[in-house]
Amino acid sequence: AQSVTQLDSHVSVSEGTPVLLRCNYSSSYSPSLFWYVQHPNKGLQLLLKYTSAATLVKGINGFEAEFKKSETSFHLTKPSAHMSDAAEYFCVVISISGGSYIPTFGRGTSLIVHP
Amino acid sequence: DTGVSQDPRHKITKRGQNVTFRCDPISEHNRLYWYRQTLGQGPEFLTYFQNEAQLEKSRLLSDRFSAERPKGSFSTLEIQHTEQGDSAMYLCASSRTGGEGETQYFGPGTRLLVL
């Protein structure tokens, strides 16, 4: 079984300040973890992924995430928010080593960036 | 453009009518997924194909829903006797076996409104 909890439904930051979007997961197997971003009226775009290599993963647009097995977390961070980062962000888990290729999405975190 | 495409982008129908959506995956991808996304929620898995075989279906997929991928390329999702509760965004994604940690690439979606 697998599940994802995105701890905040909305996060509001000022432009130029750090971003933290929190994600906790549950998986009976070694998980693969992803962050996707969805801008209004656009398709889901992959930001970054963890697939059992380096625990600190760097993605596009300055985002990064750290896989912490002991905390079952995969929080997404960015040092300095930009107005264009305003979007919906989804944390996703897949338990590939358990033989399943079915991803479970979190409910999403809406990132609001103030000028 | 070699990304995932979906057609139509929008569909308005009356309750009780049948609708069919099409998805064209990235050409070298052998896995194809269908999801449903309602407002304020993350995508929910419906079904997936590996080549032409439908390998898994969610319990969300009622008997009114059917999906096909006859030649292992494009896929169709049909909803019979639509209900207002079927109103949602229907997303398609594709991936390659063993590739990139099962990274899925999403299409722009088909937004369905049932009146």
Side-chain angles (χ1 to χ4, degrees), chain B residues 4 7 11-12 16 21 25-27 37 39-40 47 51 59 62 66 69 73 85 88 90-91 94-95 99 101 108 113:
Chain B
V4 178
D7 182 69
K11 179 71 176 178
I12 299 174
F21 309 142
I26 293 171
S27 58
Q37 185 178 21
L39 201 61
T47 187
N51 300 313
R59 283 171 286 181
S62 77
S66 62
R69 195 183 183 197
S73 56
Y90 290 84
L91 297 169
S94 69
S95 70
L113 177 61

Side-chain angles (χ1 to χ4, degrees), chain A:
Chain A
Q2 63 187 25
S3 66
V4 170
T5 302
Q6 290 186 243
L7 296 159
D8 307 292
S9 57
H10 297 85
V11 170
S12 182
V13 301
S14 297
E15 191 174 21
T17 64
V19 175
L20 170 64
L21 305 183
R22 298 183 294 166
C23 172
N24 285 103
Y25 71 92
S26 172
S27 174
S28 302
Y29 304 91
S30 296
S32 292
L33 293 156
F34 305 77
W35 276 98
Y36 281 85
V37 61
Q38 188 174 36
H39 287 93
N41 299 316
K42 293 196 175 179
L44 285 154
Q45 180 184 17
L46 179 70
L47 273 179
L48 49 79
K49 62 191 176 198
Y50 165 77
T51 55
S52 77
T55 56
L56 182 61
V57 181
K58 294 188 184 299
I60 62 172
N61 301 334
F63 284 94
E64 61 182 40
E66 186 171 8
F67 173 69
K68 292 187 176 180
K69 186 176 180 179
S70 61
E71 299 176 10
T72 60
S73 70
F74 190 58
H75 300 334
L76 181 70
T77 62
K78 182 174 180 177
S80 176
H82 192 273
M83 294 297 291
S84 62
D85 294 328
E88 193 80 17
Y89 291 79
F90 295 97
C91 183
V92 184
V93 62
I94 304 178
S95 301
I96 296 172
S97 55
S100 170
Y101 302 97
I102 309 306
T104 298
F105 280 73
R107 293 186 62 174
T109 298
S110 179
L111 177 63
I112 301 160
V113 182
H114 298 286

